[in-house]
Amino acid sequence: YDAFNHCLAIDSTASAVLYELSSFYAQLNRPEKSLEMLRRAVAYSSDNFTYRLALATMSRNLGMFGEASDEYEKLVKDYPGKPELNYYLADALTQEGEIGKAIDAYDALESSIGMSEALSMQKYKLYNALEQNDNAFKEVEKLAAKFQILLAIPHTNWVLQLMLPTAPRCYFTTTLFYGAIWASPAFGRINYALKFLRFERTNWDSR
């Protein structure tokens, strides 16, 4: 620590020294000072991916979600070969309350790495937060198209957790949905279950 401070006294623009000092301050439980060092390191070496990612992460950890999302957004633009950055961006945007932009970031990630249950579930939750139930339902339909058969009970439970929040809060709907799951072969086909749930939702909405 003393040696790095001595080096910094000689050259206050030494980005590598500033970065190392940020680690020391983080270990000393002085995150604000660590953030200051990272900001200075990035200011003097704006093309260093490691410094920039550390700055974005530290900002997020301190609850500075606006600054974190700005940094992640720049990283996504400058490093298109690292699609995983969109995940960090989406998370920061969600924390910031920028739900629509978070969905866009998840869409960008999905276009790069392909569809997955985890991504669809995140998008589903965000659409629900925006009260866009139709878009939320479409995410589940996409999963139905790709994963035709529920291979195990945990997957069945996952679908129940995913779908029931959008269904009317009534025993009849819940019973129909459970029946759709268990009446179909191999613990139920998602499409079969969706038909029952969509039928009840339509009838309930028309009342």
Side-chain angles (χ1 to χ4, degrees), residues 182-203:
W182 291 105
S184 54
F187 300 116
R189 290 182 179 273
I190 300 177
N191 284 332
Y192 191 51
L194 288 174
K195 290 178 182 178
F196 272 80
L197 184 58
R198 183 179 289 282
F199 172 78
E200 174 56 20
R201 285 182 61 192
T202 301
N203 285 339

Side-chain angles (χ1 to χ4, degrees), residues 7 80 94 108 132:
C7 292
T94 300
Q132 296 182 12

Side-chain angles (χ1 to χ4, degrees), residues 99-100 103 123-137 165-166 201:
I99 305 301
I103 292 173
K123 290 164 65 178
Y124 170 87
K125 291 177 180 178
L126 294 181
Y127 279 127
N128 265 343
L130 293 175
E131 297 184 349
Q132 296 182 12
N133 291 338
D134 287 341
N135 285 331
F137 200 79
T166 67
R201 285 182 61 192

Side-chain angles (χ1 to χ4, degrees), residues 112-194:
S112 296
I113 67 173
M115 195 184 79
S116 71
E117 292 182 8
L119 285 179
S120 291
M121 189 170 186
Q122 290 298 328
K123 290 164 65 178
Y124 170 87
K125 291 177 180 178
L126 294 181
Y127 279 127
N128 265 343
L130 293 175
E131 297 184 349
Q132 296 182 12
N133 291 338
D134 287 341
N135 285 331
F137 200 79
K138 286 177 183 178
E139 288 301 318
V140 181
E141 289 182 317
K142 284 165 55 179
L143 289 177
K146 183 167 184 177
F147 306 105
Q148 286 294 318
I149 298 177
L150 300 178
L151 297 178
I153 293 177
H155 287 101
T156 302
N157 292 336
W158 176 79
V159 173
L160 286 170
Q161 292 171 17
L162 199 65
M163 295 301 301
L164 287 176
T166 67
R169 300 298 198 275
C170 65
Y171 175 79
F172 183 50
T173 297
T174 305
T175 302
L176 276 177
F177 190 74
Y178 272 96
I181 291 293
W182 291 105
S184 54
F187 300 116
R189 290 182 179 273
I190 300 177
N191 284 332
Y192 191 51
L194 288 174

